[in-house]
Amino acid sequence: MSRIEDLLAKMTLAEKLGQLTMTASSYAVTGPVIAGDSTESIRDGTIGNLLNMVGADHVNEMQRIAVEQSRLGIPLLIGLDIIHGHRMLFPIPLAETACFDPEAWERTAREAAREGTADGLAMTFAPMLDVSRDLRWGRTAEGSGEDPGLAALMAHAKVRGFQTADLSGAESLAACAKHFCAYSPVTAGREYAAVDISERTLREVHLPAFAASVKAGVETIMPAFTDLNGVPMTAHIPLLRDYLRGELGFEGVLVSDYNAIGELIKHGVAADLVEAATLSLKAGVDIDMMANAYRNGLPIALERGLVTMDEIDTCVRRVLQLKEKLGLFDDPYRRGAKPEAASAITARRQFARDLGARCITMLKNEGEALPLKPGVKRLCVLGPLADAAADMRGPWWAAGEPEGQVSVMAGLKSGLSDVEVRYATGVGFDDGDTAGIDEAVALCEGAEALILCLGERASMSGEAASRAYPDIPEPQMALAKAAIARARALQIPVIAILFSGRPLVIPWLAENADAILAAWFLGCEAGNAIVDVLSGRVSPGGRTPITWPRAVGQVPIFFGQRPSGRPMDPKDYFTSKYQDVPNDPLYPFGHGLTYGRFVLSNLRVTPETVAERQEIEVAIDISNEGKRAAEETVFLFTRDRVASVTRPLLELRRFAKIRLEPGQTGLVVMKFPAAELSFLGADLEPVFEAGDVEILVGPRADRADLLTASVRLFANVDD
Ligand code: GLC
């Protein structure tokens, strides 16, 4: 008999339900704290999993109680939200997506897993795969933007990076694809609000990344807090059982979100914990995080015949199988047994710095305000984010300590040490106090450039951080307007550096600053990466993975919208438009300037006609006509103008990167299977239709910047 079946045969009900329970330790607070000390429960086997604990010594202390003092010695599974780094923080996921480099995405997960396992952890609650098109929603920061294909690529990269090919390895973490699913389109962008979307949107936008995570071998999946079209995800039998386990064949562990089973009562689908526990168990949720619904509710549900012991055993089996795959039975102390080499830590920090520059998204750069002129002697740096080291972490900082982060001021001090920097915060974050503006603005005198560090603090995005006005807080705008007026009088350039976990609505700044860098939240090397870009040592490489609207009233705004029967026509009043804002965004998906100047030419597509089983090859010449070396990102979109259902105005198919020296010309070739041009027909079944499809290639999701060609699809030609 296998170890697991042998254990199952011996386990009491209380011990079984312990394996289905995950309780928070107190290292990090990621939800309503309702748990106390778990030691006794670990010893008596009624808690089998923990979250929010850090440190190999603490973890091993708890592990030793479970393995050596409990009756059956089943090791603990201990997880943490290692979202964008563990001790050494990388750019937040939305920022990291901006580098459009899946190898880098995988590497940050790998590095984070090394640090997390060094702290004794065996599981992370990442990657977050929510596709977001609503910047009011604070958790946009945790995902990879507006495109489902991008989220699917991120899923693949992160699962491989966290789990590696050997899940039992000392440096491997079980990944957790979350939050399943369609959490991001919460009503009005308000956190935790209800979600109501079409089956088409669900399948076209919100499922692909999770399918990719299962294909990549993700070991756990976390249902979202939200209710989808009236059914809370934590009890969603059609999607948890029939789709994930049935259609996708997912055999891993479903772990509820924090107290989400208990919250079925507040959703109004369960009268008490017994009913809540029954609903979730029937849906196949294996682990109850922080609700104690399984421990306290299932014994009664069993007595009442609402659930069966087989159903409980099925969940326990999956949890024990995960622990076995992690190697926890063979060696529960394997993770964290060996401290990391100093060289690995040094290399990791350098990687974080290099990656930071590649994620910085230069939204504007007029009059070559950037890079700063060589030999610059005096700068004026204003704003509450200039020396806010802790805020460089962004939301979800795991074990990243505030003092471990490099601020802009620290970066200037080390990276431009011979430059005199005159600095003031000017205004605070929350107090609305603008009394310091005049004194701050006076520092512009004699400076050769004004740098404004503005935006959100780390707590203004992430979970429970929806904003109805996702802009730069008013006191900071008062500072910006006064300082820019002074800079204009002094005829010095104005560089705005924005820190945020989402696009910000910045129409005035977009008009009045000479250069704008979206620095998102870049993690531990933020200040150094920013100064590498300011100084011109490195060209910014980021491309925004999410559309920047002109006004929050345009939201949801994204490049994959459908055409409408009355598309905008300035010559026709009765067409799709606003009275007060243009339809187009301030910055489209993919926008991001570099210190090069790239020209695309000679787009060619082969073959001209293609059957479903063939491959389409797209080639384009690209030259750097600028004065500096830079890395360009080129996007390949398609447009299916006539089909049996309305089709998106643009669909992202591939992207590629190329680094060119000034004057250098290169060739970019992108290939993709014609079968990817199939879509969900009116009956929501996949269909591949004959007809012409546009191929569009360029630097951003703006037709005016795209070279176009066309390919003809044949639906029934044997190739
Ligand atoms: C939080 C989040 C989830 C996280 C979990 C554990 O509420 O919704 O993303 O993984 O609880 O911290």
Side-chain angles (χ1 to χ4, degrees), residues 37-186:
D37 175 17
S38 314
T39 313
E40 263 324 295
S41 302
I42 292 169
R43 189 169 287 115
D44 67 19
T46 55
I47 284 183
N49 312 284
L50 294 176
L51 74 145
N52 296 351
M53 171 169 278
V54 168
D57 48 348
H58 299 308
V59 166
N60 287 341
E61 184 189 342
M62 291 294 121
Q63 199 64 283
R64 218 170 290 288
I65 294 172
V67 170
E68 298 171 17
Q69 299 175 28
S70 76
R71 189 174 76 86
L72 295 171
I74 298 172
L76 296 167
L77 170 66
I78 303 178
L80 181 74
D81 291 283
I82 299 176
I83 309 295
H84 55 102
H86 179 61
R87 289 194 178 277
M88 202 169 291
L89 296 176
F90 297 107
I92 58 170
L94 188 64
E96 180 184 26
T97 309
C99 80
F100 282 89
D101 180 353
E103 285 179 15
W105 302 340
E106 180 172 340
R107 184 172 167 194
T108 54
R110 187 86 301 280
E111 296 293 335
R114 287 196 178 105
E115 289 194 341
T117 52
D119 265 336
L121 296 160
M123 174 181 188
T124 176
F125 305 114
M128 188 270 214
L129 301 177
D130 300 281
V131 175
S132 175
R133 294 157 169 189
D134 190 333
L135 51 77
R136 295 170 296 184
W137 189 53
R139 305 200 78 165
T140 300
E142 301 173 47
S144 47
E146 69 187 58
D147 184 67
L150 216 40
L153 279 177
M154 186 63 78
H156 179 80
K158 292 301 178 187
V159 169
R160 284 165 50 95
F162 286 130
Q163 297 186 174
T164 75
D166 173 16
L167 190 64
S168 67
E171 296 186 341
S172 301
L173 287 174
C176 180
K178 72 183 188 182
H179 306 81
F180 185 73
C181 59
Y183 178 179
S184 58
V186 282

Side-chain angles (χ1 to χ4, degrees), residues 43 150 159 166 193 226 242 250 298 372 421 446 538 597 641:
R43 189 169 287 115
L150 216 40
V159 169
D166 173 16
T226 38
D242 304 343
F250 175 64
L298 285 183
L372 295 171
V421 178
V538 181
R597 190 164 60 78
R641 282 190 177 280

Side-chain angles (χ1 to χ4, degrees), residues 30 51 81 125 139 178-179 222 225 257-258 289 463:
T30 62
L51 74 145
D81 291 283
F125 305 114
R139 305 200 78 165
K178 72 183 188 182
H179 306 81
M222 181 187 287
F225 284 123
D257 204 334
Y258 198 111
M289 180 193 284
E463 186 175 357

